[in-house]
Amino acid sequence: MSLSTNGKFAGLILTGLLVLAAFAGSIMFGVVPVSFQSVLKAFYVFEESREYLIIRDVRLPRAVIAAAVGSSLAVAGCLMQALSRNALAGPELFGINYGAALTAVVASYWFGTASLPLYAWSSLVGAAAAGVFVFLLSSRGGGPLSSVKFVLAGSTLNLLFASMTQGILIVNEQSLDTMRFWLAGSLTGRDLNLFFQVLPYLVIGWTGSLALSSHLNIFGLGDELAQGLGQRIRMIKILCVVFTVLLAGSAVALAGPIGFLGMAVPHIARLVTGSNYRWIVPYSALLGALLLLAADIGARFILIRQEMPVGVVTAFFGAPFLIYLAQRKER
């Protein structure tokens, strides 16, 4: 049951405060605990102590990237669910995750290196290529750009890219050793320089999705009825594809392919907002950041003296949620 308008505003503010609390917790908690006072001092006291270096060079970039990636994947999931009219859709349905992963694996194999900037830029190229391929395949045969064509084209390419990625990794064991942690979805070792390189694409995706949110509700009417009401369905679908590619591709470039977040978060947002995408999109942006920050904190304590990739944590909790959604949808 959704809240009133005032309740939704209040919930949005509360969720934003929870994101700030999780952001602070991401900096404070870890193998080396840090006090809140030390976190505050680290921004205006530039000492070269071990504690301040951990805060500024390790924990802060990690928290920023976790919030950005979680928000991007959640908003991309909103766009995909609206576009495909499929409650179980996410960026991985569109082939973007494995399209980005495939080009990262190919680039690592071709250049013989495993640097994060190489992963980032090759992932963006792969995400864009996957989006173009899906659009071209779903446009073949004439007629309108139907949601069914998008789903079929995206699912087919996703399986193809996944198979090609696994094939390259099996043939080249060196690529498997260097990339397996990144392919599991990880925030370890990221810095703000990498984040600033993809930030322009994230900003375009965030602002464009918020501006487009008021138009996403028309997909529930069906293409023919929406066109009869004077809506430019084809243009809206193209913009959805573009913003999904920018958000999901940038997220994969920063943290590797992280599953389930883009599928699950919009459903959590609907529990509060109802079916209005004008509210679902901003709620999903905040909830995605909150959940990935929380998952990243938990990933530091699951194993003793060893960190688990955050993509494993999201999959651990996302798989039961997917089963629950499938059963609920069937009922």
Side-chain angles (χ1 to χ4, degrees), residues 319-329 331:
F321 189 78
L322 176 61
I323 296 173
Y324 163 75
L325 286 179
Q327 293 178 342
R328 181 183 177 186
K329 186 174 179 61
R331 289 196 301 265

Side-chain angles (χ1 to χ4, degrees), residues 2 16 38 48 53 56 97 103 124 134 141 153 197 199 305 323:
S2 61
S38 298
E48 294 300 323
L53 287 175
R56 290 195 297 262
N97 282 6
T103 51
L124 282 171
V134 170
Q197 290 179 27
L199 181 60
R305 296 183 180 180
I323 296 173

Side-chain angles (χ1 to χ4, degrees), residues 131-146 148-150 153 234 237-238 241:
V132 171
F133 284 146
V134 170
F135 180 80
L136 292 177
L137 285 177
S138 57
S139 301
R140 289 180 61 86
L145 291 174
S146 69
V148 175
K149 289 181 180 179
F150 272 118
R234 187 181 182 88
K237 288 184 176 182
I238 292 174
V241 172

Side-chain angles (χ1 to χ4, degrees), residues 95-109 122-123 126-127 133 157 160-168 179 182-183 252 257:
I96 291 176
N97 282 6
Y98 271 108
L102 174 61
T103 51
V105 170
V106 170
S108 176
Y109 174 75
S122 58
S123 296
F133 284 146
L157 285 178
L160 174 63
F161 294 151
S163 300
M164 294 174 65
T165 301
Q166 295 299 322
I168 294 174
M179 294 197 64
W182 181 84
L183 286 172
V252 175

Side-chain angles (χ1 to χ4, degrees), residues 14 35 47 50 65 82 131 148 167 229 282 288 311 322 331:
L14 177 61
S35 65
E47 296 180 3
R50 177 170 177 262
I65 291 175
V148 175
L229 295 174
L322 176 61
R331 289 196 301 265

Side-chain angles (χ1 to χ4, degrees), residues 27 34 38-39 42 51-61:
I27 300 176
V34 176
S38 298
V39 173
E51 187 177 59
Y52 288 173
L53 287 175
I54 289 175
I55 295 172
R56 290 195 297 262
D57 297 342
V58 179
R59 300 272 179 86
L60 177 62

